[in-house]
Amino acid sequence: MKYFILSVLCCGFLLQANSQSLYLPRDIKKAYANGTREADGRPGKNYWQNTGHYNISITVMPPNRTIKGFETITYFNNSPDTLKQLNIKLIMNIHRPGATRFSNTTPDYLTPGMQVDSIFVNGVKKQWDNATALGTNQFVQLSTPLMPHDSVKLNITWHYELSEKSGREGVIDPTTFYIGYFYPRVSVFDDYNGWDRLEFNDRQEFYNDFNDYVLNVNVPKNFIVWATGTLQNPNQVLQPEYAKRLQKSMKSDSVMHIVTADDLAKKSITAQNDVNTWTWTANHISDLAVGVSDHYDWDAASVVVDDATHRRASMQAAFDDKSADFHAAVKWGIHALDFLSHSFPGVPYPFPKMTAFQGFADMEFPMMVNDTHETDMADAELLQDHEMAHTYFPFYMGINETRYGYMDEGWATTFELYLGETEVGKSTSEEVYKNFRVKKWIFDPSTTEDLPIITPTSELTRGYANNAYVKPSLSYIALKDMLGDALFKKALHVYMNNWNGKHPIPWDYFNSMSTGSGKNLNWFFYNWFFTNNYIDLNLKSAVKDASGYVVNIENIGGFAIPFDVKVNYADGKTETLHQTPAVWEANQKNIAVHVKTNKAVQSIFLDNGIFMDADISNNKWVNN
C-alpha cells in the first residue's frame, strides 16, 4: 500500500501535509529540527541516548532493615552536549519526612532516606551533605566537563533503611524484603528535555536509561534471592538438588516446585556459608529489583517465546505457601508470556525470565512483578497479567512514564483486556474492563477527567488515573477496531521496531502508526489525545426513506468511538450494523447511518460496548 507523506520539516517546525495538524510543544520541535526524530516516526539520523555500566553490590541482613550498597558507574555521554554536572536520582528520598508526595502517608513509611557515605568522580572525592540532599534529584558538579562521546567513572557508597510500610518496595514481613529503586543512578539526559529533573512523588512513575548491570546481593545463609537478570552462580549459592531443579525448569513446560514448604523447613536450601553472594547480570535494561526471603516457596517453568529461534523464557514465582493464588502464578504467567509473544502484541518476550513475587504493591519491574495476594483467583490473574504486560511498555520501549504515563499504562490496560478474553471469555473480560476501568471515568463529570490525554501526566493530580489508564486504552482499542486486527498489528510493530530499546514520545507513536498503517491518522489522534472529549452519543432521529431508514446521530461527547446500530424489527428479528471510528473522520459531531431494509422497524439502539456512554437515555429510538 502506498504510504501517505505525513509531514515535512521547515525552519525547525513540523508541518502537517493535511488539514489536521497536531500540536507540537516547543521542546519537541527542537528535537525534530536537530534531526534526532523523524516525521515518519523513526529515530532520526542524529538520534542518541546516554547509557551506563553499573556494578552494584548490596548487603541485606533481615530482619535488620538497613540496606548497604557500593557501586561503580561508568557513564557514557553519547550526546552532542558538554555536561558540566550529573543529576543523580535518589528515589529512596521519597521516604524522608517532608518529601514532596502525591498524598499523605503514615509514620511507618518514613525513614531517613538515602544516605550517601561517599562519592568519587574519576577518583576524586566530592563533597556531599545528606542533610541538604533531600530530594529525589541531586546534582553533582564535575571538576572536568564530560565531553561528547566520552565517559566518567563514579564510585558511590550508600545505605538506607527499608520502609516498614511496603508499597512498591519495603518490608513484606520481618524476613521477606522487596528491594526496588535501591541505588543512586544517573538521571536520563535526553534529546528533547535535557536532564530529567522531575521529582518522584510516589504516584507518577519512572524514566530510566538503558544500562548494563552486574548485581551482587549478599544475604545470610538460608535466604533465597530473586532479582532482575540472569543468576550467574546457582551452583555456588544453592545446594545441588535445588540448583538442579532450577536448571531443569528452564526447559520444562510443566510447573516445577524448586523449593517447597517442606524443603524450607529443613533449612538447607542454600550454601551454608554465613553469607552467600548471589550474582546477577542484565544488559540493556532500565532498572533492577530484588526480593529476598527465608520462607517463600519457589515455583518455575518455561515457555517458548520466539518460534524463529526456539528461545524459551523462564517463569518463576516466590510466595508464602498459604497463598493459593500464587500457587497458580507460574501457570498463569506461562499463558501470559505465550499470549503476549505470539498473539498481542505478538512480539517475542524480550527477556530471559519473569518472576512473580508476593508483596503489596501491584507494581511492575523489569523481569519482576511485586503483586498483592488476592483471594479471588480471577482478580489475581488479572492483576498479574497487567503487571507482566508492562514488559513491553515501559521496559522494552523505554517510556518516560513520569511525563507520558498513558504510553505505558494505557497499553498494559489494553493487553489485560485481551489476555482476559483468553482466560475468562470475551463477555466476562469486557464486563470486568467496564466495571473496573471505564465506569470510574465515564460517570465522573469532573473537569479534571476531561483534560486531554496529551496533558503531561507529571502535571496531573486527580485526573491522573483515567488519563494514564482508561482513556488511552480506549483510544488504542478504537484504533484497532478502525484499522482491523492485521493492519493495526502491522502498524504497532512498526512503532515497536522503531523504538524498542530507545525513548519514544507520543509523536513518535502517532507518526509510526500512520506510517505503519499507510494512512494519515492525525485526525484520529487529534480527536483522542488533544481534545476535552468524552463519550456520549445521541440518537436524534430515524427517518424512513425509500430504501430503509436514515439514523441521525449526534456525537455530544466527541470521541471517535466504534459502536453498533442494533435494529429491532416488528417481526421479532434483530440486525446489528457495526460502525468503526472511521465514520467520524469527515464530521466528528454529526453522522447519518443508513439502515437498508424493507421491513418495519420497531426500535433502534446504539450500543457502544466497552465504550460506555455517559448518558444512555438518548441512545434509543422507538417507532411510535
Side-chain angles (χ1 to χ4, degrees):
M1 180 179 291
K2 182 178 179 181
Y3 289 169
F4 288 84
I5 297 174
L6 301 180
S7 50
V8 294
L9 280 171
C10 178
C11 302
F13 292 89
L14 193 64
L15 305 178
Q16 302 299 335
N18 75 335
S19 58
Q20 181 64 74
S21 61
L22 300 181
Y23 160 72
L24 202 62
R26 287 176 287 173
D27 51 359
I28 306 300
K29 287 178 183 178
K30 291 180 181 178
Y32 284 96
N34 291 335
T36 56
R37 295 169 193 266
E38 295 289 347
D40 63 1
R42 294 175 299 164
K45 61 183 175 60
N46 296 328
Y47 180 79
W48 54 267
Q49 62 191 41
N50 291 350
T51 188
H53 294 170
Y54 285 68
N55 194 317
I56 304 172
S57 292
I58 62 171
T59 298
V60 186
M61 295 288 172
N64 188 324
R65 295 187 291 115
T66 299
I67 310 298
K68 297 179 180 179
F70 171 79
E71 67 184 348
T72 298
I73 306 171
T74 304
Y75 179 73
F76 297 89
N77 178 19
N78 298 318
S79 82
D81 300 306
T82 297
L83 304 180
K84 297 181 180 180
Q85 57 185 355
L86 301 178
N87 184 23
I88 307 298
K89 286 284 185 181
L90 305 169
I91 300 300
M92 286 299 93
N93 276 349
I94 190 65
H95 290 284
R96 283 180 180 257
T100 302
R101 280 182 287 271
F102 181 82
S103 61
N104 292 333
T105 192
T106 52
D108 55 352
Y109 180 87
L110 301 177
T111 75
M114 183 68 79
Q115 301 294 303
V116 172
D117 301 311
S118 65
I119 178 169
F120 291 79
V121 178
N122 285 336
V124 178
K125 188 172 184 179
K126 306 296 289 187
Q127 293 297 314
W128 186 280
D129 184 358
N130 288 307
T132 59
L134 299 176
T136 57
N137 293 292
Q138 182 67 27
F139 278 91
V140 174
Q141 300 298 318
L142 298 178
S143 302
T144 302
L146 179 57
M147 304 302 291
H149 312 295
D150 201 355
S151 64
V152 63
K153 184 176 180 180
L154 293 84
N155 298 101
I156 306 175
T157 303
W158 76 94
H159 69 277
Y160 72 94
E161 290 181 16
L162 204 60
S163 173
E164 292 182 282
K165 182 178 182 178
S166 184
R168 290 182 173 93
E169 41 71 37
V171 174
I172 309 300
D173 63 50
T175 57
T176 304
F177 293 173
Y178 196 84
I179 303 166
Y181 325 114
F182 57 90
Y183 57 99
R185 76 188 74 189
V186 182
S187 171
V188 175
F189 181 82
D190 63 30
D191 65 308
Y192 64 91
N193 194 53
W195 288 113
D196 174 31
R197 302 166 184 257
L198 292 174
E199 290 287 328
F200 175 58
N201 67 3
D202 215 18
R203 179 64 182 272
Q204 285 88 2
E205 294 177 350
F206 305 96
Y207 182 34
N208 298 320
D209 280 322
F210 288 90
N211 302 310
D212 293 344
Y213 291 94
V214 176
L215 172 66
N216 296 295
V217 183
N218 302 302
V219 293
K221 63 184 177 183
N222 300 322
F223 275 82
I224 302 173
V225 179
W226 297 266
T228 301
T230 300
L231 179 62
Q232 297 299 299
N233 59 339
N235 295 324
Q236 283 70 52
V237 293
L238 292 169
Q239 296 287 354
E241 173 60 26
Y242 305 105
K244 182 179 178 181
R245 291 181 192 177
L246 178 61
Q247 182 61 34
K248 187 176 179 181
S249 75
M250 299 295 176
K251 296 186 181 299
S252 174
D253 296 319
S254 302
V255 178
M256 293 187 61
H257 305 303
I258 310 303
V259 176
T260 67
D262 288 341
D263 295 326
L264 289 161
K266 301 172 186 176
K267 295 192 179 298
S268 60
I269 307 299
T270 72
Q272 293 301 293
N273 307 307
D274 289 341
V275 175
N276 291 315
T277 300
W278 298 60
T279 300
W280 304 82
T281 61
N283 292 328
H284 199 63
I285 201 162
S286 58
D287 201 4
L288 299 172
V290 177
V292 302
S293 181
D294 66 348
H295 62 273
Y296 265 18
D297 290 3
W298 187 0
D299 284 355
S302 66
V303 62
V304 174
V305 293
D306 190 337
D307 293 338
T309 63
H310 306 291
R311 179 173 62 85
R312 301 180 76 93
S314 172
M315 179 67 213
Q316 303 181 27
F319 55 95
D320 190 312
D321 189 66
K322 298 186 294 293
S323 300
D325 54 338
F326 273 87
H327 281 277
V330 170
K331 181 184 71 173
W332 294 340
I334 288 293
H335 172 70
L337 292 178
D338 181 63
F339 177 87
L340 294 166
S341 298
H342 294 104
S343 297
F344 191 62
V347 173
Y349 179 73
F351 303 133
K353 82 163 194 299
M354 168 60 72
T355 301
F357 192 92
Q358 182 181 338
F360 294 110
D362 308 335
M363 183 66 194
E364 70 279 1
F365 299 80
M367 300 191 217
M368 296 188 77
V369 296
N370 176 11
D371 281 347
T372 308
H373 162 57
E374 298 282 350
T375 55
D376 185 294
M377 297 293 274
D379 286 350
E381 186 171 16
L382 173 74
L383 174 63
Q384 183 172 298
D385 287 346
H386 179 94
E387 307 308 343
M388 286 180 59
H390 273 299
T391 290
Y392 296 93
F393 305 89
F395 302 131
Y396 181 61
M397 296 293 288
I399 303 298
N400 184 339
E401 302 171 80
T402 319
R403 198 175 297 269
Y404 305 123
Y406 44 85
M407 294 183 71
D408 81 296
E409 294 295 356
W411 283 110
T413 302
T414 302
F415 293 159
E416 112 197 354
L417 169 68
Y418 294 122
L419 255 172
E421 290 181 1
T422 69
E423 296 159 356
V424 296
K426 184 175 179 10
S427 177
T428 299
S429 184
E430 289 186 348
E431 281 303 307
V432 170
Y433 182 88
K434 288 194 291 185
N435 290 326
F436 182 50
R437 299 296 189 188
V438 187
K439 276 186 179 179
K440 296 177 183 179
W441 162 62
I442 196 60
F443 296 130
D444 183 348
S446 305
T447 301
T448 52
E449 299 300 344
D450 290 340
L451 289 173
I453 298 173
I454 201 67
T455 307
T457 46
S458 56
E459 311 309 309
L460 296 176
T461 52
R462 179 177 175 181
Y464 170 81
N466 291 322
N467 259 36
Y469 292 75
V470 181
K471 290 156 68 177
S473 175
L474 287 169
S475 83
Y476 304 143
I477 296 166
L479 184 58
K480 184 172 179 282
D481 184 276
M482 185 173 79
L483 296 179
D485 289 353
L487 186 56
F488 178 83
K489 185 184 284 190
K490 175 188 172 187
L492 180 60
H493 285 187
V494 167
Y495 168 49
M496 296 178 76
N497 288 337
N498 283 345
W499 286 98
N500 74 81
K502 302 180 180 67
H503 295 305
I505 56 177
W507 293 266
D508 299 318
Y509 163 68
F510 303 147
N511 293 332
S512 291
M513 293 299 287
S514 287
T515 297
S517 66
K519 299 176 182 291
N520 191 326
L521 300 172
N522 280 356
W523 76 270
F524 179 88
F525 292 130
Y526 179 84
N527 175 278
W528 272 95
F529 283 81
F530 294 85
T531 68
N532 301 94
N533 289 343
Y534 61 104
I535 301 173
D536 183 11
L537 299 185
N538 173 25
L539 199 168
K540 293 196 298 183
S541 64
V543 180
K544 195 172 188 322
D545 67 5
S547 58
Y549 289 80
V550 176
V551 181
N552 295 300
I553 301 168
E554 179 186 11
N555 192 348
I556 296 174
F559 272 146
I561 65 165
F563 62 96
D564 289 337
V565 179
K566 292 191 170 182
V567 185
N568 296 302
Y569 292 104
D571 62 7
K573 294 184 179 181
T574 62
E575 182 181 10
T576 298
L577 304 173
H578 183 68
Q579 310 297 308
T580 80
V583 299
W584 302 106
E585 181 172 3
N587 186 335
Q588 292 168 34
K589 287 300 180 184
N590 292 280
I591 60 169
V593 176
H594 196 191
V595 178
K596 294 183 178 181
T597 183
N598 56 11
K599 298 198 297 183
V601 171
Q602 187 176 64
S603 64
I604 299 174
F605 178 70
L606 304 182
D607 185 351
N608 305 352
I610 62 173
F611 295 84
M612 297 179 71
D613 203 297
D615 178 11
I616 203 170
S617 68
N618 56 10
N619 284 36
K620 189 172 184 177
W621 173 85
V622 178
N623 191 353
N624 296 317

